[in-house]
Amino acid sequence: MPYIDIPSRDDYVSIWYITNSDHGNVGSFDPGRPTCILLHPLFLDSSWLIRHFDDPRLSQDYNLIAFDQRTCGRSRCRPSQWHDSYVDAADIAMVCQALLLPPAHILAFECISVNAALRLAALWPEQVLSLTLCDVPPPTELQWVFHAYDELLQLWCYAPDLDSFEHAGNEVVTFMTGESDNLDLQDDLIAYWEKYTPPTKRLRIVELVNIMMNRTLMRPEELASIVCPVLIIQGESSPIAPLKYAENLKQCLINAEDGPRLYVVKGAKACLNILPGSASIVNKVFSRFLAQQPRTRSDLLPPKLSIRERSKVALSKLAEFVGIPAIAQRDPRSPLSFSCVKTDVAKSQLENLLFYAKELSNAYCPLGRDGRPLRKSVIAFVLQFHYTNPFYSKVF
């Protein structure tokens, strides 16, 4: 799995990525195919996009690439109180320029990725051929979701043993997917979190939750600057991303080419890319949308402007959007320069990071010496035994 480093004075980030090319890198992309960038859902990484990479409707006709967000999967970064969705957009833009990627179609899933994709299209419009946004979140987090994440964060980060961590994981699975009886999915998700976000790596989760809880509205002029074709795919019954917010976003994208389109997945709750039925529907709708766009090539050509020069242009544009001229004078080599986190919020987020960093070396690790989960989820095992054992069902 290859990666790109983005070093700067105040930041360091290493972004890992996967592709559908023969050799797993951008250099083996088919220049005759358009390129699609896939942005993974919340609390997961690019490996959870396998239902899209394996679908011939996408993999046979398009070059696919997916990045691990800086606090997810194999990507690495220094914890920062300045991290927000503008920083995530800058990460994507700088990595695309470093890889000489051509303009691409964007497929983004859920809160963090959707917000990053919108900001990418506003600040680096030449890199985006079209936007497809799945599970558009509310502009700011719903109050009940805010409290739920706060409670789950405590359970997750301070689990004292394997049973407690599995319990926390089970609660997160139910909260994310709206399902409590999909035992195989539950076990796969908990095993993933045991490996990549155990209590010993809780600062990654804390930073991720900071972005979600303290996200800010995009200004009308920012949304109006998005001119590429836009498709919104929304679950009909998602409690954490209600349909009305997708409809509101559609009304705000006033300059999207041919008007933004909204497709509602009937009966779907959340996690459109994880559940097989919903993922197949997303692939069908997305591939049809792409078929209506002009066919482009994927020649890997040097950009007209260097990464530093293009970042300066983007910083000037961001300064104009938010009305803070000083932003244009920031270091264009650092993704953190694009942060729009207010000083008081940054102070609060830093205090949060420092609090969870206490006694981090003593945190529980649910992995064995070989770096693998010690067992399958006990909760999943008990439920599976209950459903498959007639005697147990009759007695209890």
Side-chain angles (χ1 to χ4, degrees), residues 333-344:
R333 292 166 293 188
S334 172
L336 289 181
S337 296
F338 288 85
S339 173
C340 290
V341 177
K342 295 181 179 179
T343 304
D344 57 333

Side-chain angles (χ1 to χ4, degrees), residues 122 218-227 252-256 321:
M218 284 189 74
R219 295 159 182 79
E221 53 270 28
E222 291 179 272
L223 294 173
S225 70
I226 297 175
V227 297
C252 294
L253 296 170
I254 57 177
N255 292 320
F321 280 144

Side-chain angles (χ1 to χ4, degrees), residues 10-224:
D10 63 344
D11 186 29
Y12 171 78
V13 59
S14 180
I15 301 293
W16 292 66
Y17 64 92
I18 60 172
T19 74
N20 68 332
S21 63
D22 292 336
H23 302 291
N25 56 33
V26 173
S28 54
F29 271 178
D30 184 343
R33 298 178 181 178
T35 295
C36 298
I37 297 174
L38 282 65
L39 304 180
H40 63 77
L42 189 63
F43 296 133
L44 301 174
D45 65 10
S46 56
S47 65
W48 288 87
L49 297 169
I50 191 66
R51 297 192 188 280
H52 308 286
F53 274 74
D54 283 352
D55 194 312
R57 289 172 290 190
L58 299 179
S59 61
Q60 288 184 0
D61 294 327
Y62 300 94
N63 298 313
L64 305 179
I65 183 170
F67 305 109
D68 284 355
Q69 189 252 6
R70 62 163 53 201
T71 57
C72 298
R74 294 190 178 184
S75 291
R76 295 291 180 269
C77 70
R78 295 173 184 165
S80 175
Q81 70 273 27
W82 299 105
H83 185 186
D84 65 1
S85 292
Y86 288 100
V87 174
D88 288 331
D91 285 341
I92 298 169
M94 291 184 181
V95 169
C96 287
Q97 292 173 85
L99 292 172
L100 306 182
L101 281 180
H105 301 281
I106 310 293
L107 174 60
F109 291 95
E110 301 182 16
C111 176
I112 302 272
S113 293
V114 166
N115 279 287
L118 286 168
R119 287 158 174 79
L120 178 70
L123 296 177
W124 288 271
E126 75 283 358
Q127 293 191 5
V128 181
L129 293 175
S130 72
L131 276 180
T132 299
L133 311 173
C134 299
D135 280 332
V136 170
T140 56
E141 204 57 82
L142 302 175
Q143 193 65 31
W144 73 270
V145 176
F146 188 96
H147 291 306
Y149 275 131
D150 188 49
E151 293 178 7
L152 291 173
L153 191 64
Q154 291 290 325
L155 288 173
W156 193 325
C157 294
Y158 291 105
D161 52 44
L162 188 54
D163 289 341
S164 300
F165 186 83
E166 288 177 349
H167 171 70
N170 181 59
E171 294 295 319
V172 175
V173 172
T174 304
F175 181 75
M176 283 177 53
T177 66
E179 296 192 2
S180 58
D181 56 353
N182 192 332
L183 305 183
D184 290 334
L185 175 62
Q186 177 178 303
D187 191 66
D188 289 343
L189 285 167
I190 292 176
Y192 168 80
W193 290 327
E194 287 177 352
K195 183 174 181 179
Y196 288 102
T197 51
T200 53
K201 298 180 181 179
R202 61 189 178 216
L203 291 184
R204 290 161 68 86
I205 288 295
V206 173
E207 187 168 338
L208 199 60
V209 171
N210 278 344
I211 305 170
M212 291 166 30
M213 297 305 175
N214 298 317
R215 66 178 183 268
T216 55
L217 292 164
M218 284 189 74
R219 295 159 182 79
E221 53 270 28
E222 291 179 272
L223 294 173

